[in-house]
Amino acid sequence: MIIAVAEEESMVCQHFEYCQHFGLFDTETGTLKVIDNPGHQPGFLPEFLGKLGVQVVIAGGMGGRAQELFASRGIQVLVGASGPIKEVVQRFLNGELLSSGSVCSEHEHAGDCHE
């Protein structure tokens, strides 16, 4: 399984679309690959990450449309996460990470929308 985490300086980014990078964790090989965020364009990132084989996306916050697009591709979304990305992935793998289900509706509060 490949897990994509919205990343900002080794921490979970609190606004998915505007993260610096994505940490791609391959659970079969135990490897982490960090890729640059190719940029925010409506509807682009769900397709982009889906083509990379991502099955789970973890972020602090995410807009409703992005969540719908991931769901339509069968990609699980967990929002409301925070902390170092390696710890967050381990919590997910241990079954300890639950999605808050929150939906960001405005971009002006990109650092706070996970609350």
Side-chain angles (χ1 to χ4, degrees):
M1 167 183 356
I2 297 177
I3 303 167
V5 182
E7 185 262 341
E8 189 99 19
E9 298 180 14
S10 299
M11 302 292 281
V12 174
C13 183
Q14 295 307 302
H15 197 83
F16 167 79
E17 290 91 349
Y18 297 103
C19 67
Q20 288 178 326
H21 308 96
F22 292 103
L24 302 179
F25 290 87
D26 186 327
T27 60
E28 291 181 22
T29 63
T31 59
L32 166 65
K33 177 181 178 183
V34 177
I35 61 170
D36 290 336
N37 182 345
H40 178 259
Q41 302 168 26
F44 174 74
L45 290 173
E47 182 178 343
F48 172 76
L49 293 173
K51 286 181 179 179
L52 294 175
V54 170
Q55 296 165 295
V56 176
V57 174
I58 299 173
M62 183 184 298
R65 181 73 177 133
Q67 290 186 41
E68 290 170 6
L69 289 171
F70 279 118
S72 73
R73 289 171 172 75
I75 298 172
Q76 181 181 2
V77 173
L78 290 102
V79 291
S82 63
I85 60 173
K86 290 182 180 181
E87 290 178 17
V88 169
V89 168
Q90 190 58 56
R91 288 188 358 235
F92 171 76
L93 294 173
N94 292 343
E96 300 167 354
L97 185 66
L98 301 175
S99 181
S100 69
S102 65
V103 176
C104 298
S105 60
E106 297 181 29
H107 295 292
E108 295 85 40
H109 63 292
D112 300 319
C113 62
H114 67 287
E115 295 177 9

